[in-house]
């Protein structure tokens, strides 16, 4: 009996095979899709209905950008019409919103809390190495190339002016002229913009300025080799970029300044090409100018680092024209670079910025030359100790964020530039923005459109 039951069951299985196709999703049951990468369906989720059928999800981002562009165009037209109405150019307490000074050199204490208009072509010419990101952001959001005149900047300008012309008196209390200055302060306090304005002023005055808008680039990217002759690390790509930037605005000055050091410049490894065969130095003729020296470094990748180091020595000997070295992101030169030196098969040693030949030549402030460096905390290089090596103890000064009076001028300017709705603008509202942001310029600019 049992055998008969088993025989009947086996026959039923053979004649009616069980299938699982209706239980397993097609994407899993199909053998060809098991080895493919995971994919996701496009379009609206079946469980989340589209309440705006006239707007397709794939085009939502495009629609938002289009609306933003339209609003910007309408605002630009309105601002163009506002130029005809002089009554709008009124700042806090009925004072003029824009200064009448024709240049940075003419600015006085009376011009504080006002804005100075610039021409973009002039800025890009005088700051050929590049404009600070904060300055470009300010220009873009306000839709006008203008900057606030701050007393902290005028004190910085007058500090270096009094060094060249001792008859100039500074308005700063307890002022002591410093040839070396380090601008420190919280994020978005305007250090980079102040440094760029200082370079603008110095070049207007006819000074020779080596401006480094991005000091961090000296310690990142490109090739790096250890020079057995110096024990330092050569970065020929960065060296060539340094020379190119220095040549952009200073060419007329350089061709008038003769070289004063004629010792041969040692050659190093070129960018990706190794050592030069048959030569280890390059000769500097006695009739060479600083322009010729820079051209040597640009024409030979093997000589680029050596020329940058020699250029630092030559700049310290220039007496015919005031020389200023201005470095933004200066704190990047007091921490580790991007480069690493292999120690064992499985470990590497990080290379400090001071071990790079170019940084080593320019980082020190223990000299008699005018030099200003600005910290950039947005680069997140870490917290540095108060007493920095190779920096005078009294060189570090705090660059403050906006004061209440400066914030008042800033908010009236943004009202003028239609970043704030006029019906929502009150003293109470702009002070709320100021205290909420703690005087952070970037945060204030972002918050003022939400004033209600």
């Amino acid at each position: 009996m049992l055998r008969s039951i088993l025989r009947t069951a086996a026959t039923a299985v053979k004649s009616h095979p069980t299938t699982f196709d209706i239980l397993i999703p097609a994407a899993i049951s199909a053998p060809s899709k098991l080895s493919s990468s995971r994919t996701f369906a496009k379009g609206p989720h079946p469980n989340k209905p589209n309440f705006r059928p006239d707007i397709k999800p794939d085009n939502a981002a495009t629609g938002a950008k289009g609306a933003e562009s339209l609003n910007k165009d309408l605002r630009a037209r309105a601002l163009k019409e506002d130029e005809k109405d002089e009554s709008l150019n009124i700042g806090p307490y009925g004072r003029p919103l824009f200064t009448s000074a024709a240049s940075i050199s003419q600015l006085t204490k009376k011009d504080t809390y006002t804005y100075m208009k610039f021409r973009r072509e002039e800025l890009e010419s005088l700051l050929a190495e590049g404009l600070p990101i904060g300055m470009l952001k300010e220009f873009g959001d306000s839709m006008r190339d203008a900057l606030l005149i701050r007393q902290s900047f005028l004190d910085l300008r007058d500090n270096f002016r009094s060094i060249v012309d001792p008859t100039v008196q500074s308005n700063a209390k307890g002022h002591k002229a410093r040839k070396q200055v380090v601008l420190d302060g919280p994020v978005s306090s305007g250090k980079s913009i102040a440094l760029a304005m200082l370079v603008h002023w110095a070049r207007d005055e006819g000074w020779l300025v080596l401006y480094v808008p991005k000091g961090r680039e000296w310690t990142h990217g490109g090739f790096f080799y250890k020079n057995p002759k110096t024990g330092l690390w050569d970065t020929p790509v960065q060296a060539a970029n340094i020379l190119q930037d220095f040549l952009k605005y200073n060419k007329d000055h350089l061709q008038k300044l003769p070289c004063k050091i004629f010792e041969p410049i040692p050659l190093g490894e070129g960018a990706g090409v190794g050592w030069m065969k048959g030569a280890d130095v390059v000769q500097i003729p006695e009739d060479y100018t600083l322009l010729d020296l820079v051209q040597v470094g640009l024409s030979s990748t093997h000589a680029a680092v050596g020329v940058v180091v020699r250029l630092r020595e030559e700049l310290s000997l220039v007496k015919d024209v005031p020389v200023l070295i201005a470095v933004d992101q200066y704190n990047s030169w007091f921490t580790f670079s991007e480069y690493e030196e292999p120690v064992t098969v499985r470990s590497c040693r990080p290379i400090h910025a001071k071990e790079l030949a170019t940084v080593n030549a320019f980082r020190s402030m223990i000299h008699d030359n005018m030099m200003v460096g600005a910290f950039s905390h947005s680069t997140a290089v870490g917290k540095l100790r108060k007493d920095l090596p190779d920096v005078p103890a009294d060189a570090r000064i705090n660059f403050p964020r906006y004061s209440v009076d400066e914030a008042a001028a800033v908010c009236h300017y943004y009202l003028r530039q239609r970043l704030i709705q006029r019906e929502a603008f009150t003293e109470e509202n702009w002070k709320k923005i100021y205290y909420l942001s703690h005087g952070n310029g970037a945060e204030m600019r972002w918050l003022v459109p939400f004033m209600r």
Side-chain angles (χ1 to χ4, degrees):
M1 183 66 178
L2 180 59
R3 290 180 181 179
S4 176
I5 294 174
L6 293 174
R7 203 178 290 119
T8 303
T11 304
V13 171
K14 289 180 180 180
S15 59
H16 302 285
T18 305
T19 60
F20 297 91
D21 293 343
I22 60 173
L23 300 177
I24 302 177
I28 300 179
S29 62
S32 61
K33 293 186 179 181
L34 287 175
S35 60
S36 64
S37 62
R38 194 174 185 182
T39 58
F40 298 90
K42 295 182 179 180
H45 194 279
N47 296 328
K48 295 182 179 179
N50 183 7
F51 295 102
R52 291 291 304 277
D54 57 321
I55 300 179
K56 296 182 179 180
D58 290 345
N59 297 330
T62 305
K65 290 181 180 178
E68 182 181 355
S69 178
L70 178 61
N71 292 336
K72 193 172 184 179
D73 291 341
L74 293 174
R75 183 173 159 226
R77 295 175 189 174
L79 288 173
K80 189 174 181 180
E81 291 296 324
D82 291 345
E83 291 296 328
K84 304 174 184 177
D85 189 355
E86 292 294 332
S87 64
L88 297 176
N89 299 332
I90 302 298
Y93 312 111
R95 295 178 302 190
L97 189 58
F98 297 99
T99 179
S100 59
S103 66
I104 297 178
S105 181
Q106 297 177 6
L107 294 173
T108 65
K109 187 176 181 179
K110 296 180 180 179
D111 297 302
T112 54
Y113 314 128
T114 64
Y115 274 77
M116 185 171 190
K117 301 176 184 178
F118 293 92
R119 290 189 301 107
R120 183 66 65 93
E121 298 79 11
E122 179 186 4
L123 281 175
E124 292 177 346
S125 173
L126 286 166
L127 303 174
E129 297 86 345
L131 303 182
I133 296 176
M135 182 184 291
L136 293 174
K137 185 66 175 174
E138 170 71 18
F139 291 167
D141 290 346
S142 64
M143 299 185 71
R144 181 189 288 273
D145 295 349
L147 295 171
L148 178 69
I149 305 304
R150 307 180 63 188
Q151 185 61 50
S152 51
F153 164 72
L154 296 181
D155 293 340
L156 179 66
R157 180 204 63 180
D158 292 343
N159 172 78
F160 288 100
R161 173 186 272 174
S162 62
I163 293 173
V164 177
D165 185 3
T167 61
V168 175
Q169 298 295 325
S170 174
N171 294 321
K173 295 181 180 179
H175 170 74
K176 176 186 176 183
R178 300 183 178 99
K179 286 189 175 182
Q180 300 84 29
V181 172
V182 175
L183 298 179
D184 197 0
V187 177
S188 296
S189 59
K191 300 180 293 295
S192 296
I193 293 179
L195 184 68
M197 291 179 68
L198 181 70
V199 172
H200 185 297
W201 164 77
R203 286 177 170 171
D204 262 345
E205 294 290 299
W207 293 17
L208 176 62
V209 183
L210 188 145
Y211 177 42
V212 184
K214 296 180 180 179
R216 187 174 181 272
E217 291 185 350
W218 286 34
T219 62
H220 288 68
F223 298 89
F224 61 103
Y225 313 100
K226 189 166 187 177
N227 193 322
K229 300 177 182 178
T230 62
L232 300 174
W233 294 82
D234 291 351
T235 50
V237 175
Q238 278 78 359
N241 293 336
I242 293 167
L243 295 174
Q244 288 174 353
D245 286 344
F246 187 54
L247 198 62
K248 286 179 181 178
Y249 183 83
N250 300 298
K251 187 173 182 180
D252 292 339
H253 277 308
L254 297 178
Q255 63 186 1
K256 299 175 183 177
L257 297 172
C259 290
K260 297 183 179 180
I261 303 175
F262 303 105
E263 297 179 4
I265 295 178
L267 300 177
E269 287 193 56
V273 295
W275 293 88
M276 180 178 289
K277 296 181 179 179
D280 56 357
V281 297
V282 57
Q283 300 293 333
I284 303 299
E286 294 187 1
D287 60 345
Y288 261 32
T289 64
L290 293 187
L291 177 61
D292 297 323
L293 177 66
V294 172
Q295 294 289 1
V296 169
L298 291 175
S299 61
S300 172
T301 183
H302 300 86
V305 174
V307 168
V308 170
V309 175
R310 176 61 58 82
L311 180 65
R312 177 66 188 91
E313 299 173 3
E314 288 283 1
L315 290 177
S316 65
L317 300 176
V318 174
K319 304 300 180 184
D320 300 334
V321 60
V323 177
L324 175 67
I325 300 173
V327 183
D328 202 357
Q329 300 178 357
Y330 183 58
N331 48 335
S332 298
W333 293 0
F334 293 89
T335 185
F336 291 97
S337 69
E338 184 186 39
Y339 314 122
E340 294 182 336
E341 177 186 17
V343 177
T344 66
V345 178
R346 298 182 180 180
S347 65
C348 294
R349 179 187 70 86
I351 299 174
H352 199 276
K354 66 181 179 181
E355 300 179 66
L356 306 181
T358 52
V359 174
N360 184 270
F362 281 88
R363 191 183 79 162
S364 176
M365 286 190 175
I366 308 299
H367 48 64
D368 197 43
N369 309 123
M370 290 186 291
M371 182 173 177
V372 55
F375 281 6
S376 176
H377 297 293
S378 58
T379 55
V381 299
K383 188 175 181 180
L384 301 177
R385 68 189 194 189
K386 186 175 181 180
D387 298 326
L388 296 174
D390 304 323
V391 175
D394 62 343
R396 200 163 170 176
I397 63 175
N398 184 62
F399 202 83
R401 285 179 173 174
Y402 289 148
S403 65
V404 175
D405 289 334
E406 289 174 334
V410 168
C411 290
H412 278 77
Y413 172 69
Y414 289 155
L415 175 66
R416 166 66 179 80
Q417 295 305 114
R418 292 180 174 266
L419 271 176
I420 304 174
Q421 297 180 12
R422 190 165 294 275
E423 59 273 13
F425 184 78
T426 63
E427 182 177 357
E428 180 182 0
N429 280 345
W430 72 252
K431 282 187 176 180
K432 287 179 181 179
I433 298 293
Y434 169 71
Y435 290 116
L436 182 63
S437 63
H438 298 286
N440 184 315
E443 290 185 7
M444 284 187 61
R445 188 172 61 244
W446 181 79
L447 286 171
V448 289
F450 299 102
M451 191 181 294
R452 295 293 184 268

